[in-house]
């Protein structure tokens, strides 16, 4: 889809919707557009859109980033928007969705509505993981390198990833004959229906390990804490993520590890505020500078810049310094702009000489004189 729709619009909810309301809206839309029920040509595409919206809005941190930056928060890998496909539905099992209709127990939902076969489980990629990394505003502007310590799953060296004790091998499950699934016939309001569920004896693995590897406990992988280096590009925005391939959860049945997404959290800057790639700041000038003009210094992320004010500059005047904003994270040769709002500061305390000078200036401009006069003058 060329232009992404607003995630709240996709689920048909308000931006102030609670977590329960988001979940209920997702269930409702999933029941309506799931391809196993809805045979419309665009049902699968709509379901992907619904799944992506739920994945973001059901996660507190991703939702906060989306509310602030919109779809831009998930560019360059973002925070994994839309990565779930139909397999996980944003972490919600389809039995949880359709259990409301059929009373639960339908892990083989696709078998009821056509299609579905008993298949042996093949290699499964591990789950993706997320690590939150906080950096300063300055670090986000110019990039930096950070070392983080994370748990990393690796193949067990003692059993070679089989999970079986050295010298032994996993055996084919006698109940499912290696398919990892078993069929169950259930009586439903529509008659007898056959469903498929993971094998109760091998847990869906298709194999049974009689003697487990003492090092990994039969898992085939071990988890160790490792320190890894993360290169943070200049211009990265709050809520964006950096992908570290293969550093996520362990795969099963020989599948690859998932990925680690390092989500960047940027502390607010003291001098600048960011909107997209543009930066905003305020500079104070006195009434003389505003009236007569002259050269002033404007702070930028690169250092101070000289700027010549025009005589008669008005309060709240905005000036733009092009190319002095944040770097574009995808092209460090492109930059946004710096927008400066000029604040004219009126003095609250004046010396006698200053008051007299301003009094004369006011009189020369034809303004109202504040010199005290007698009652009858």
């Amino acid at each position: 889809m060329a232009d992404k729709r607003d995630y709240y619009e996709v689920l048909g909810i308000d931006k102030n919707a609670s977590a329960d309301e988001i979940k209920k809206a997702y269930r409702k839309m999933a029941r309506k557009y799931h391809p196993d029920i809805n045979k419309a040509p665009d049902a699968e595409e709509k379901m992907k859109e619904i799944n992506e919206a739920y994945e973001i809005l059901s996660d507190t941190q991703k939702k906060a980033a989306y509310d602030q930056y919109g779809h831009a928060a998930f560019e360059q890998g973002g925070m994994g928007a839309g990565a779930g496909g139909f397999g996980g539905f944003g972490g919600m099992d389809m039995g949880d969705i359709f259990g409301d209709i059929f009373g639960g127990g339908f892990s083989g939902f696709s078998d009821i509505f056509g299609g579905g076969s008993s298949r042996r489980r093949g290699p499964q990629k591990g789950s993706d993981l997320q690590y939150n990394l906080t950096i300063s505003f300055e670090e986000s502007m110019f990039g930096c390198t950070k070392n983080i310590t994370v748990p990393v799953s690796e193949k067990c060296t003692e059993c070679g990833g089989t999970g079986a004790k050295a010298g032994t091998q996993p055996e084919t499950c006698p109940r499912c004959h290696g398919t990892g699934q078993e069929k169950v016939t259930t009586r439903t309001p529509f008659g007898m229906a056959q469903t498929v569920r993971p094998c109760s004896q091998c847990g869906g693995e298709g194999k049974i390990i009689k003697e487990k590897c003492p090092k990994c406990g039969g898992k085939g992988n071990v988890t160790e804490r490792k320190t890894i280096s993360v290169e943070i590009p200049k211009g990265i925005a709050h809520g964006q993520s950096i992908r570290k391939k293969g550093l996520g959860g362990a795969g099963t049945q020989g599948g690859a590890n998932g990925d680690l997404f390092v989500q960047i959290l940027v502390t607010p800057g003291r001098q600048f505020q960011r909107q997209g790639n543009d930066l905003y700041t305020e500079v104070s000038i006195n009434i003389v500078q505003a009236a007569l003009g002259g050269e002033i210094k404007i702070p930028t992320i690169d250092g101070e810049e000289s700027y010549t004010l025009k005589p008669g500059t008005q309060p709240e005047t905005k000036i733009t310094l092009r190319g002095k904003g944040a770097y574009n994270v995808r092209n460090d040769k492109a930059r946004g702009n710096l927008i400066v709002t000029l604040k004219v500061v009126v003095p609250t305390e004046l010396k006698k000489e200053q008051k007299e000078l301003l009094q004369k200036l006011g009189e020369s401009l034809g303004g109202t004189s504040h010199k005290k006069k007698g009652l009858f003058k």
Side-chain angles (χ1 to χ4, degrees):
M1 302 171 70
D3 297 321
K4 289 183 181 243
R5 286 201 297 155
D6 179 80
Y7 287 146
Y8 292 99
E9 179 185 341
V10 171
L11 296 183
I13 55 176
D14 184 81
K15 287 190 176 182
N16 297 319
S18 65
D20 286 340
E21 290 172 332
I22 293 173
K23 186 174 182 179
K24 287 179 181 178
Y26 173 69
R27 289 186 178 204
K28 179 181 177 181
M29 299 298 285
R31 285 195 294 266
K32 181 177 180 182
Y33 288 106
H34 189 272
D36 283 340
I37 298 177
N38 192 323
K39 299 303 180 182
D42 62 344
E44 182 174 346
E45 195 64 33
K46 286 187 177 180
M47 193 63 242
K48 288 181 180 178
E49 184 181 43
I50 293 164
N51 183 40
E52 180 177 324
Y54 179 73
E55 180 184 350
I56 299 303
L57 299 184
S58 63
D59 184 295
T60 304
Q61 292 179 337
K62 291 181 181 180
K63 182 178 183 295
Y66 178 73
D67 288 344
Q68 185 171 5
Y69 297 101
H71 293 296
F74 308 100
E75 294 177 356
Q76 281 293 94
M79 296 165 65
F86 283 103
F89 275 84
M92 182 183 289
D93 190 270
M94 287 308 297
D96 184 33
I97 298 173
F98 295 104
D100 295 342
I101 303 175
F102 297 103
F106 283 83
S107 58
F109 185 83
S110 61
D111 285 353
I112 302 176
F113 291 92
S117 61
S118 179
R119 296 178 300 186
R120 181 172 178 172
R121 290 179 58 184
Q124 301 289 319
K125 183 182 177 181
S127 60
D128 292 336
L129 302 180
Q130 178 178 301
Y131 181 97
N132 293 338
L133 176 60
T134 300
I135 63 175
S136 68
F137 177 83
E138 290 74 17
E139 289 173 325
S140 76
M141 289 293 101
F142 298 104
C144 59
T145 300
K146 294 286 186 178
N147 291 327
I148 62 175
T149 302
V150 295
V152 178
S153 294
E154 296 182 334
K155 182 186 292 186
C156 177
T157 55
E158 188 164 328
C159 67
T162 65
K165 183 179 178 180
T168 68
Q169 291 293 329
E171 299 179 3
T172 301
C173 174
R175 185 179 184 88
C176 67
H177 305 291
T179 64
Q181 297 176 320
E182 59 184 354
K183 293 182 179 181
V184 178
T185 302
T186 309
R187 185 181 297 277
T188 74
F190 306 100
M192 302 300 291
Q194 191 176 71
T195 62
V196 178
R197 67 185 182 189
C199 176
S200 58
Q201 186 166 345
C202 67
E205 297 297 327
K207 295 181 180 180
I208 293 177
I209 300 174
K210 289 189 175 181
E211 295 185 76
K212 295 182 179 180
C213 171
K215 183 176 181 179
C216 66
K219 296 180 180 179
N221 58 76
V222 293
T223 301
E224 298 181 357
R225 295 188 68 80
K226 286 191 172 184
T227 299
I228 62 174
S229 179
V230 181
E231 295 290 337
I232 300 172
K234 54 186 177 182
I236 196 166
H238 179 85
Q240 290 185 316
S241 294
I242 298 171
R243 179 184 179 187
K244 304 294 285 185
K245 191 173 182 180
L247 295 180
T252 59
Q253 297 288 324
N257 282 8
D259 299 327
L260 172 67
F261 288 89
V262 181
Q263 183 183 4
I264 302 301
L265 307 178
V266 182
T267 57
R270 291 174 295 178
Q271 180 78 49
F272 306 97
Q273 291 77 48
R274 178 174 183 172
Q275 292 184 23
N277 288 330
D278 290 335
L279 297 180
Y280 292 77
T281 191
E282 294 179 352
V283 171
S284 297
I285 59 175
N286 59 45
I287 55 176
V288 176
Q289 290 173 311
L292 302 180
E295 189 174 279
I296 62 171
K297 298 293 184 181
I298 294 179
T300 75
I301 61 174
D302 305 300
E304 288 188 338
E305 291 277 333
S306 295
Y307 183 84
T308 302
L309 289 176
K310 295 179 179 179
T313 297
Q314 298 299 305
E316 303 300 318
T317 294
K318 287 181 170 51
I319 57 179
T320 300
L321 299 184
R322 298 197 175 279
K324 291 297 179 179
Y327 288 93
N328 186 318
V329 73
R330 287 182 283 185
N331 179 8
D332 61 10
K333 294 182 179 179
R335 295 180 62 173
N337 301 322
L338 174 64
I339 293 86
V340 183
T341 301
L342 299 177
K343 298 288 185 179
V344 179
V345 179
V346 178
T348 56
E349 295 183 3
L350 293 172
K351 295 179 180 180
K352 181 180 179 181
E353 296 82 2
Q354 293 172 323
K355 290 181 180 179
E356 291 175 349
L357 288 171
L358 286 177
Q359 180 71 38
K360 291 179 180 179
L361 175 62
E363 292 174 351
S364 68
L365 294 175
T368 302
S369 173
H370 294 282
K371 187 182 292 184
K372 290 185 178 180
K373 297 180 179 181
L375 180 61
F376 296 105
K377 291 184 179 179

